[in-house]
Each structure stands twice: as structure tokens, then as C-alpha cells.
Amino acid sequence: MQTDTTVVAVDTTAQTVGAAASGALGTLREWLDGFFELLPNLVLAVLIVIAAAFVARLVRNVVASVLHRAADRAPQTKNVVELLATIVYIAVLAAGTFIALSVLKLDGVVTTLLAGAGVVGLALGFAFQDIASNFIAGILMAIRNPFLVGEIIETNGFTGTVREISLRSTVLDTFQGQKVILPNAKVFGDPIVNYSARGERRVDLACGVGYGDDLGHAQRVAVAAVEGLEMRKDGKPVQLYYTEFGDSSINFVVRFWVDFMRQTDFLEAQSEAIKAVKAAFDGHGVTIPFPIRTLDFDPNGGVDLRAVLKGSGGELTAGGADGE
């Protein structure tokens, strides 16, 4: 009786194994049949991906060549050109990949990939919004070219020579020798003064003459002195304007233009103008007065040192005065 039970169990196990093997073979056969049915589409999809890669590389080279020729004036645009060429390459390759997946009837995968890419892009945008804003500002700056490497600019309270322009930041060397790294978003969003853009700069020299001097004579002397400077730019006249009645002088500003490539061009011209005006005034009897202060020795005002000394029996020594 036990033997019969054992035989039945063995038969059952054998049948189960046989059914499982038969099912596996059937599944494998279905897979093989499906593979052979899908093989033409698979070959076509592979060919599409290969063709897309070839076309993407060709389009990238053409775009890079065209943009490089258009961007010869600004070396910093090379980074943007490479970026745009890479974006075009990825876009063409992605389009070919999506077409290949559609040929394989995997449209659901395409939809899932696009949705996932959108979610990931949104998350990265929030996480790295500062980096993204600097990056986009760098691209816009490279397209607009508000300044070039080697030019002198002023922005965000810093003045210096532009040493590097990347897609993320702008590097300045200040006149004091410091290196300043500015995020492109701040540079692009704030006013920029480009001192080198026109190749010239105006020097405004402020000075003053005494109230007892002839203003017309002083003007002629100052203008003639500045006109004699070698670094003064020809074709633009020297201008002098009186600006105000100062505490001890009548103030004026004399203006002239110089060629400007370096900061020393401006500083040397300003220094030479100061020396020339001072020498001309000394030679023609025009005074540049010292600041004068009147000392009042009475609470009600109007009483000078002489009256105080006379009332107290004192004497005014030689050199004493009501001013200094």
C-alpha cells in the first residue's frame, strides 16, 4: 500500500516537472518567435540610432563651424558655440533614439522617459537655480558682448581689467592687484561702465583761483597750459568752466580728452595737466589760494583779534592776522 502511494507521488512529481518544462519551452519558443518577428524592427531601430548619431555629429560640426566664424570678434563666445553645438548634437541623437523606440513599439517607454526627464529637470532647476541663473547670464553676456577680455570696466562697486569671462563668472584684476570673481548674474543685472569701449576718456581737472585774480586771464592761461600737453587728443578742444564761488577761491574745472587703453594713460595725463597748470599759474601771476578761515572772538560776531587785543591792552605781534 505504501509502495503504491510512493509510485503515485513520483508520477505526480514527474508530471509537474514535465508540465513546467513544457511551459518553459513554450515560453522560450514564444520569445524566439517574438524575437524573430521583432528582428526586422530591431535592425531598423539600430540603423536609425546609428544614422541619428552620424547626422548629429555632422550637424554639430556644421553648427560649430558657422557659429565660430560669426563669433571671431569675441573669444569668450567660443564656450557658447561649443555649448550650442553640443545641445544640437544631443537633440538630434535623442530624436533618433525616440524614433527607434517607436519603431520597436515602445511608445510607453518614450512617454515615461520624457516625463522623468521633465521631473528631474524641474527638481534640478529648483536645487541649482543660482548656478542656472549665472549660466544663462553668461550665455546672454557672450551673445551681447558688453565687454571683452582686457577691457577696463566698473560694475558692482569694482573697477578693474577683465581677465576672464566664463559661462559662470567674470574675473577682474583691480588696479590695487586684487582678483575679483563676480557671478555673471550680478554682472548682467547691474549697470556696467566700460571705459575701454570707445578708446578715449575725458580728464576733468578741478582747481580754483583767488577772488582777486582776473578770471578771463586765468582761463586763458589754464587752457593754453593744457593744450600744450603731448598726450592730449587732437580734434577735441580744451574746455574750462567756472563752477562755483568757494570758501576761499572761485573754482573751475578744465576738461580735455586722451587716448585710453590702460589706466595709466588717464593717470599720467591727469598728473601732467596738474603740473602744467601749476607752472603756468606761477609764471603768469595767477594764484591758487590756500583755504582761509576767519576767527571771530565775540559771541555776537563781527569782532576780530585786533579789537580783542586792543581792549585787553595787548599788542598784535608781527605776522598776527585775522586768518590762517
Side-chain angles (χ1 to χ4, degrees):
M1 189 68 179
Q2 184 177 0
T3 303
D4 294 339
T5 304
T6 303
V7 172
V8 172
V10 171
D11 291 341
T12 304
T13 302
Q15 292 176 358
T16 303
V17 172
S22 177
L25 291 175
T27 301
L28 181 60
R29 188 179 297 106
E30 290 178 0
W31 285 357
L32 290 175
D33 293 341
F35 173 77
F36 286 116
E37 291 179 0
L38 190 62
L39 185 60
N41 291 342
L42 181 61
V43 173
L44 179 60
V46 172
L47 292 177
I48 291 175
V49 171
I50 294 174
F54 176 78
V55 173
R57 187 178 295 107
L58 179 63
V59 172
R60 179 182 61 185
N61 294 337
V62 172
V63 170
S65 176
V66 172
L67 292 180
H68 273 305
R69 286 198 298 268
D72 285 340
R73 177 179 174 271
Q76 68 269 22
T77 58
K78 292 181 180 179
N79 293 332
V80 178
V81 169
E82 295 297 332
L83 174 65
L84 294 178
T86 302
I87 291 175
V88 170
Y89 174 81
I90 295 175
V92 174
L93 186 61
T97 302
F98 290 152
I99 293 174
L101 291 175
S102 298
V103 170
L104 294 175
K105 299 179 180 180
L106 297 176
D107 298 334
V109 175
V110 175
T111 303
T112 303
L113 289 176
L114 291 177
V119 173
V120 171
L122 184 62
L124 292 177
F126 280 110
F128 302 102
Q129 54 183 340
D130 291 337
I131 297 177
S133 62
N134 290 327
F135 187 77
I136 295 173
I139 295 176
L140 295 177
M141 286 171 55
I143 295 174
R144 292 181 54 185
N145 292 325
F147 51 82
L148 304 176
V149 173
E151 292 185 337
I152 297 175
I153 67 169
E154 178 182 350
T155 182
N156 289 274
F158 297 96
T159 303
T161 304
V162 180
R163 290 305 179 198
E164 181 184 347
I165 305 173
S166 67
L167 292 178
R168 181 183 177 277
S169 61
T170 298
V171 180
L172 296 183
D173 284 345
T174 67
F175 301 135
Q176 291 75 30
Q178 285 80 30
K179 179 180 179 180
V180 181
I181 302 176
L182 298 171
N184 282 335
K186 294 185 68 64
V187 176
F188 186 76
D190 285 4
I192 301 172
V193 180
N194 190 334
Y195 292 102
S196 303
R198 296 183 176 178
E200 60 182 8
R201 187 173 175 182
R202 194 181 73 189
V203 180
D204 292 1
L205 182 62
C207 190
V209 297
Y211 276 89
D213 289 298
D214 184 336
L215 298 185
H217 174 63
Q219 179 174 356
R220 290 188 294 271
V221 171
V223 171
V226 175
E227 286 178 340
L229 297 176
E230 293 184 0
M231 67 279 297
R232 185 181 69 86
K233 187 171 184 177
D234 295 331
K236 292 195 175 184
V238 178
Q239 299 172 317
L240 187 147
Y241 299 101
Y242 288 100
T243 57
E244 63 177 349
F245 292 96
D247 294 335
S248 56
S249 64
I250 298 179
N251 299 325
F252 67 86
V253 59
V254 58
R255 310 190 307 188
F256 63 98
W257 291 81
V258 296
D259 292 323
F260 184 78
M261 294 296 295
R262 304 177 302 274
Q263 179 68 2
T264 53
D265 297 335
F266 174 83
L267 296 177
E268 289 177 1
Q270 181 177 256
S271 177
E272 292 299 320
I274 291 175
K275 293 190 291 184
V277 170
K278 176 62 168 59
F281 279 2
D282 290 344
H284 292 82
V286 180
T287 60
I288 302 177
F290 295 100
I292 297 175
R293 296 179 180 88
T294 300
L295 302 180
D296 199 332
F297 293 89
D298 186 84
N300 297 322
V303 178
D304 60 21
L305 181 58
R306 292 186 181 87
V308 173
L309 292 176
K310 185 177 180 180
S312 61
E315 295 181 357
L316 184 64
T317 61
D322 60 355
E324 62 177 12

